[in-house]
């Protein structure tokens, strides 16, 4: 860790937050960031490389990523989402809220069917809704 001033923690290396973690404060890394399933971050996240949220992660702040950003199924993100390249939002995600709409912006945005976005989407190059593939048993 480089710095933990106030409510922001700054990391030099890749950051992996284990499943079922609760953290109060913002996290910034100069490398990749991976938040594992069922974690809750009361703050924002920023990665200078790729960022991945596993399923059912809750973020009570915004997300900023300079490369690819993947948000797994069932995640809740309350703040704005800024992607430098591609943002992919999984099925069942809720972005923003009726009381506090937000913005998602990136050159390319992919949203799986069933995600809910309260606010605006700004896909500067390409925007797509991805239909989930049905599994036949």
């Amino acid at each position: 860790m480089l710095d933990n001033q106030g409510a922001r923690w700054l990391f030099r290396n890749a950051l992996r937050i284990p499943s079922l973690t609760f953290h109060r404060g913002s996290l910034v890394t100069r490398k990749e960031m991976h938040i594992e399933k069922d974690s809750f971050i009361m703050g924002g996240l920023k990665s200078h490389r790729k960022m991945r949220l596993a399923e059912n992660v809750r973020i009570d702040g915004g997300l900023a990523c300079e490369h690819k950003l993947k948000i797994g199924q069932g995640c809740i993100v309350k703040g704005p989402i800024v992607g430098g390249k591609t943002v992919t939002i999984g099925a069942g995600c809720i972005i923003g809220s009726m009381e506090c709409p937000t913005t998602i912006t990136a050159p390319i945005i992919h949203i799986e069917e069933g995600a809910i976005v309260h606010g605006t989407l700004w896909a500067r190059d390409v925007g797509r809704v991805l239909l989930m593939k049905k599994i036949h048993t």
Side-chain angles (χ1 to χ4, degrees):
M1 181 173 16
L2 291 176
D3 175 23
N4 66 349
Q5 295 292 345
R8 181 197 71 168
W9 293 31
L10 174 62
F11 296 86
R12 175 182 296 135
N13 296 318
L15 179 61
R16 182 188 140 280
I17 302 295
S19 295
L20 300 168
T21 295
F22 172 80
H23 175 79
R24 184 184 308 267
S26 295
L27 300 171
V28 179
T29 180
R30 294 185 175 168
K31 304 276 182 160
E32 295 179 4
M33 182 180 293
H34 180 198
I35 310 297
E36 293 189 3
K37 68 181 183 172
D38 301 314
S39 291
F40 179 18
I41 309 295
M42 290 186 69
L45 303 177
K46 181 176 181 182
S47 172
H48 290 270
R49 303 265 175 96
K50 294 189 284 187
M51 182 186 297
R52 181 174 172 268
L53 305 184
E55 59 274 1
N56 302 316
V57 169
R58 178 175 169 175
I59 307 295
D60 275 4
L63 304 176
C65 177
E66 293 183 15
H67 290 272
K68 294 180 181 180
L69 170 56
K70 180 166 177 34
I71 301 171
Q73 294 184 355
C75 290
I76 297 172
V77 179
K78 293 202 172 178
I81 298 172
V82 179
K85 294 192 178 191
T86 303
V87 171
T88 302
I89 299 172
C93 288
I94 301 173
I95 311 299
S97 67
M98 292 290 287
E99 299 79 24
C100 190
T102 193
T103 299
I104 301 170
T105 183
I108 300 170
I109 299 175
H110 301 288
I111 300 179
E112 290 182 1
E113 184 179 21
I116 298 171
V117 177
H118 299 282
T120 59
L121 293 165
W122 293 92
R124 296 187 300 270
D125 295 335
V126 178
R128 292 190 182 115
V129 174
L130 305 174
L131 300 177
M132 294 179 57
K133 295 179 182 177
K134 293 183 180 179
I135 299 173
H136 299 284
T137 57

